[in-house]
Amino acid sequence: MANIKSAMKRAGTNKKENLRNREDKSVLKTALRRYDEALQGEDKEAAEAAYLKAVSTVDKAAAKGVIHKNAANHKKAQLAGKRASAN
């Protein structure tokens, strides 16, 4: 553990940011999983709604710095490819 006051503050900040990033990654993974599940189903409207939600979630994660912007673009391209092959 740090002995210097500023280092202790920084350790606390890092802990909070780590928790926030883990939450955001969990939300992202859930959105992607729900989109995959919606594709397996018969309902096209549900799949479209899940696609829009997943893309939005990916963009938000990239904006917050949880994932890199190129990784976000790669994920969105994968989602669009799955969407095209499902139709």
Side-chain angles (χ1 to χ4, degrees):
M1 184 67 191
N3 291 324
I4 299 169
K5 188 173 183 180
S6 62
M8 287 189 264
K9 289 180 189 176
R10 191 65 191 164
T13 304
N14 288 342
K15 190 180 279 188
K16 284 184 211 171
E17 189 62 30
N18 181 265
L19 179 62
R20 205 173 293 133
N21 285 341
R22 282 191 303 181
E23 289 173 358
D24 290 340
K25 277 188 180 182
S26 177
V27 169
L28 175 63
K29 289 178 185 178
T30 301
L32 296 175
R33 181 177 45 79
R34 288 201 175 130
Y35 175 62
D36 286 338
E37 290 170 357
L39 280 180
Q40 302 301 320
E42 298 291 323
D43 191 6
K44 298 282 184 187
E45 291 179 14
E48 185 65 23
Y51 170 77
L52 294 175
K53 175 76 173 160
V55 169
S56 174
T57 306
V58 169
D59 284 336
K60 286 177 186 176
K64 291 178 184 179
V66 175
I67 60 174
H68 193 273
K69 66 178 186 169
N70 290 352
N73 288 333
H74 181 83
K75 285 190 186 301
K76 289 192 297 186
Q78 286 178 328
L79 293 172
K82 288 179 186 179
R83 181 181 180 202
S85 65
N87 290 335

